[in-house]
Amino acid sequence: EPSARGLTLRLYSHNHSTSQNSLAFHATTSHHHFTPQMASRMVGGHSEAKPQDDEIMEVMASPRVLETLGVDLESLVVHSYTRQVVAGTKYQVKLAREDGTFSHFSVIKPLPHKNEEPFILGEVQDGLTAEDTFN
């Protein structure tokens, strides 16, 4: 096993399809090399973009989320999302609107012991395209 000696961590920005200003760790030791692509699979890194599925729809069904968005669950179409495990789970969501535009926002699903509903973190960005990256 590699020791802590020789471990170098560098924090840098990279442009990636799901996050314009994502931060990734680059770590090297004399025995292992971790790449930016591996960072997305590490705790704290964002996942690859995923299409709408049961996981995100369970989060989106939160009354707090629906109220903030001003929509009902039946009309909701998630184009894609990423997830990040922090103190709970952070989802970055691209929501397809009926007018053909997209809204981008972050949803936090608190850890189970907090007994709290998911909620939208920050502002909802409206009038975007599917190709726009998360800010």
Side-chain angles (χ1 to χ4, degrees), residues 7-12 24-28 33-36 39 42:
L7 179 65
T8 306
L9 289 176
R10 286 185 220 114
L11 190 60
Y12 63 96
F25 286 100
H26 180 80
T28 57
H33 182 76
F34 297 95
T35 66
M42 295 168 55

Side-chain angles (χ1 to χ4, degrees), residues 79-93:
H79 173 270
S80 60
Y81 73 97
T82 65
R83 64 191 301 271
Q84 176 185 28
V85 177
V86 284
T89 303
K90 179 181 178 182
Y91 297 86
Q92 290 184 313
V93 182

Side-chain angles (χ1 to χ4, degrees), residues 16-107:
H16 149 323
S17 64
T18 59
S19 180
Q20 182 176 13
N21 295 314
S22 292
L23 295 178
F25 286 100
H26 180 80
T28 57
T29 68
S30 57
H31 298 102
H32 295 283
H33 182 76
F34 297 95
T35 66
Q37 293 75 24
M38 293 171 73
S40 68
R41 294 186 296 268
M42 295 168 55
V43 173
H46 280 276
S47 69
E48 294 297 319
K50 301 177 184 185
Q52 179 174 308
D53 60 15
D54 290 343
E55 177 182 4
I56 194 62
M57 292 310 289
E58 178 183 321
V59 172
M60 298 302 294
S62 163
R64 288 175 68 182
V65 171
L66 294 172
E67 182 180 326
T68 301
L69 292 173
V71 298
D72 57 37
L73 188 60
E74 293 75 31
S75 67
L76 197 97
V77 178
V78 172
H79 173 270
S80 60
Y81 73 97
T82 65
R83 64 191 301 271
Q84 176 185 28
V85 177
V86 284
T89 303
K90 179 181 178 182
Y91 297 86
Q92 290 184 313
V93 182
K94 289 185 180 185
L95 186 70
R97 298 291 193 165
E98 290 181 1
D99 66 0
T101 65
F102 290 78
S103 296
H104 295 187
F105 54 91
S106 295
V107 178

